[in-house]
Amino acid sequence: MSWQTYVDNQICAQVSCKLAVIAGLADGQIWAKFEKDVSQPVSQQELKAIADALKDNPNSFQEHGIHLAGEKYFCLQADNTLIRGRKGSSALCIVATNTCLLCAATTDGFPPGQLNTVVEKLGDYLRANNY
């Protein structure tokens, strides 16, 4: 299965997304993505900064927020493998696996719990398969 298929069928088919990205954990290189009504395209630099902060200092998200696709999300929770955030009524979930970063943001009003379940389960599946 291609990485784009994971974005399309495992995330976007179950979540009303404005953004879904799978990127390399080491360099932030985008492997697959979906974007709709975002301020600006997701950049490799943003993803690398998120991956580095997850590894080195996840508490920095509490202080500075989460910057993705030109938007700033308020951090609700952050540790070395998981970030949850909000911007208005849009939810953000970011999961780090062994080799990749999964990021998804919902359209306004979509239930954040459903987003978290979908992205975190995909992260567990990829970890179990050494990704």
Side-chain angles (χ1 to χ4, degrees):
M1 191 180 315
S2 76
W3 290 111
Q4 190 62 48
T5 304
Y6 281 104
V7 167
D8 297 340
N9 297 342
Q10 300 298 314
I11 300 173
C12 294
Q14 300 178 57
V15 174
S16 177
C17 289
K18 67 178 177 182
L19 166 72
V21 178
I22 300 177
L25 189 60
D27 58 5
Q29 180 69 43
I30 297 170
W31 298 352
K33 71 177 177 176
F34 167 85
E35 295 173 323
K36 180 178 115 182
D37 300 328
V38 292
S39 298
Q40 65 188 43
V42 174
S43 73
Q44 180 177 353
Q45 292 76 20
E46 287 175 316
L47 295 167
K48 172 113 173 67
I50 289 169
D52 290 347
L54 270 171
K55 181 176 51 177
D56 300 331
N57 184 14
N59 291 330
S60 67
F61 295 112
Q62 300 284 353
E63 298 172 34
H64 306 290
I66 308 143
H67 297 269
L68 189 62
E71 296 190 16
K72 181 179 178 181
Y73 291 82
F74 175 75
C75 181
L76 301 174
Q77 174 185 356
D79 63 36
N80 291 106
T81 60
L82 173 67
I83 305 170
R84 291 182 180 153
R86 295 288 294 223
K87 180 178 189 274
S89 64
S90 177
L92 173 71
C93 184
I94 300 174
V95 172
T97 69
N98 303 337
T99 61
C100 64
L101 199 61
L102 309 174
C103 306
T106 66
T107 57
D108 288 343
F110 188 84
Q114 188 173 343
L115 168 71
N116 296 339
T117 299
V118 167
V119 176
E120 291 172 36
K121 280 187 179 180
L122 179 56
D124 291 343
Y125 170 80
L126 292 174
R127 270 190 222 100
N129 287 281
N130 295 316
Y131 283 104

